Amino acid sequence: MSTQEISSMDETRLHAYVDGRLDAEASAAVAAWLQQHPAEAQRVADWRRQREALRGLHAGLLDEPLPRALLQGLRRGERGLAANAPSFRLQALAGVALLGLGLALGWQAREWTTTAPAIATPGFVRDAGIAHAVYQPERRHPVEVGAEQQAHLVQWLSKRLGEPLRVPHLEGLGWRLMGGRLLPAGAEQDEGPPQARAQFMYEERDGAAGERLTLYVSVLGTAQARPDGTAFRFSESADGQRRSFYWVDGRLGYALTGRLPREQLARLGEQVYRQLRQEPSPP
């Protein structure tokens, strides 16, 4: 493949280049093309840094042996995949890949609740932690659509999720909206066509450290929906650096994630919940 043959470069080929999956000739051609397209070269460089950052998060976990229960589940999955349709096979492999990323990021959760005994962390909360770890450090492209296009952002994400969404405003608590992005469904997808997810990002308005929060919104299947009310819970990463305040309200699951003390995250989460339910804040 010569450089002249490449008039435009699709993202699949660029990602393959970043991941080292091209042969020597194709890789050299992409490198030559990038030299002529500095904006795309910068984007590829950002992908490389993000890839290395992901690999560095709890890298030691990748060398640990897989738990026996997980290996048994994968073996059962392989036998089941052989007997099912290709579409099911792709969904199952995607789920395994997401599980592997969650293990690599060390998103092992502990829950606390004052309303019910501790339960297993929902898949959408684990996905929220992974998405936070990926996009929170991003300097150039932390969001897909900025806050200056908020009306468009809400309309677009509502249409893609198939549910009317609202964006909470936390300026009164010291956090400004940066914008949001569309994300694919992850571990909690259990029925019907693939569902999209939404992530809204906030930045500490006056803090020198530039802390960020993300609000992750997921449309849940009937098995996860809660028609009988809301229970607030916490989930914490294995290293204690990230926490999620999460709840399920009808068909929507919400997870507010950040590197904040539990009490501060709870105050922000309760404010988010009131705004989403259009309830007045306490005096």
Side-chain angles (χ1 to χ4, degrees), residues 83 85 104 122 163 174 196 260 282:
E163 292 284 338
L260 298 178

Side-chain angles (χ1 to χ4, degrees), residues 250-269:
R251 293 188 63 226
L252 295 178
Y254 300 92
L256 186 68
T257 303
R259 298 188 303 177
L260 298 178
R262 179 183 172 189
E263 294 76 14
Q264 183 180 1
L265 191 63
R267 286 197 301 271
L268 289 164

